[in-house]
Amino acid sequence: MEVDRAEVLRYLRMGNVQPDAVLEARLASVEREVLAKIRPAAYWQLVPITGGETPTGELTYQVGPLALHSRKLWETLKGCRHAFLFCATLGAGVDALLRTCGHRSAADLVMVQAISTALIETYCDDCQIQMLSEPAVCGETLRMRFSPGYGDLPLETQRPLLMALDSARRAGITLMDTMLMMPSKSVSAIIGVGPANGQPTRHDCRTCGKTDCAFRKTEEET
């Protein structure tokens, strides 16, 4: 897996500023450490979407075993009859490296966070390419990954989503009481499967209402 350096610099909040020779060498060294520690794993399951908006305006629908009410998610699922329930992780090795860097160097700790965050996003993108090769998805497109805690989809949706995927056994992902996943560099999401109808296939900062996000892309970066 290759490291998307532009994304790493964004997570480091460097914008379009290019690293000097010293920082470039340090980033390259930390990248090698991270790549040596990752053990990517993922699992996904294709499920039907049923239900929708009632004549009275109430929104209740099922994505596989999940009973949901999120209007934002429903907007991304328009035209979809199926969706993937999805989870992915870089493995526990990254958490061990983060603990090591916490004692070794604050700068290295920040770099590991940025590099591993960029890597899990790249890995999720790679998994979605594999999803598109499945016969049941032939001719369809995938909508953007929609994770618990985003928009009006409660973070508590993590628990039934990961239970439905049997994530602990299939990908080594467990859930803490705080609804955060372990290993920490893990992702869970619902991904709509349907015809291309103008719905976004990737997250677009321009359509996100969280304008105070520290990692929000500028117009020049999108």
Side-chain angles (χ1 to χ4, degrees), residues 33-191:
E33 284 190 272
V34 175
L35 289 170
K37 291 290 186 180
I38 63 172
R39 297 293 184 273
Y43 181 69
W44 55 84
Q45 183 178 24
L46 188 66
V47 297
I49 299 171
T50 57
E53 192 164 6
T54 67
T56 60
E58 183 182 2
L59 184 61
T60 302
Y61 56 99
Q62 293 271 149
V63 180
L66 308 181
L68 303 172
H69 305 277
S70 166
R71 193 163 293 276
K72 286 287 187 181
L73 173 58
W74 183 251
E75 289 172 2
T76 72
L77 297 177
K78 285 180 180 177
C80 297
R81 292 185 299 173
H82 295 85
F84 281 108
L85 305 182
F86 171 73
C87 65
T89 183
L90 294 182
V94 175
D95 287 344
L97 181 57
L98 285 167
R99 290 192 294 270
T100 297
C101 289
H103 298 289
R104 184 179 80 192
S105 164
D108 286 359
L109 177 62
V110 172
M111 289 181 198
V112 172
Q113 286 281 11
I115 292 164
S116 56
T117 300
L119 277 173
I120 187 62
E121 292 298 315
T122 295
Y123 181 53
C124 289
D125 290 342
D126 291 345
C127 288
Q128 288 189 222
I129 293 173
Q130 294 181 51
M131 291 177 196
L132 284 170
S133 67
E134 295 193 10
V137 184
C138 183
E140 304 277 50
T141 61
L142 299 183
R143 307 292 168 81
M144 62 175 262
R145 293 190 295 272
F146 205 106
S147 296
Y150 179 73
D152 59 349
L153 183 64
L155 184 60
E156 289 74 17
T157 310
Q158 293 273 44
R159 190 171 301 283
L161 173 55
L162 293 179
M163 287 179 63
L165 290 168
D166 193 10
S167 64
R169 184 170 68 88
R170 295 184 179 276
I173 300 172
T174 57
L175 192 65
M176 302 173 66
D177 291 340
T178 57
M179 297 296 133
L180 298 180
M181 291 176 285
M182 291 298 291
S184 62
K185 294 306 176 183
S186 301
V187 168
S188 66
I190 298 168
I191 307 169

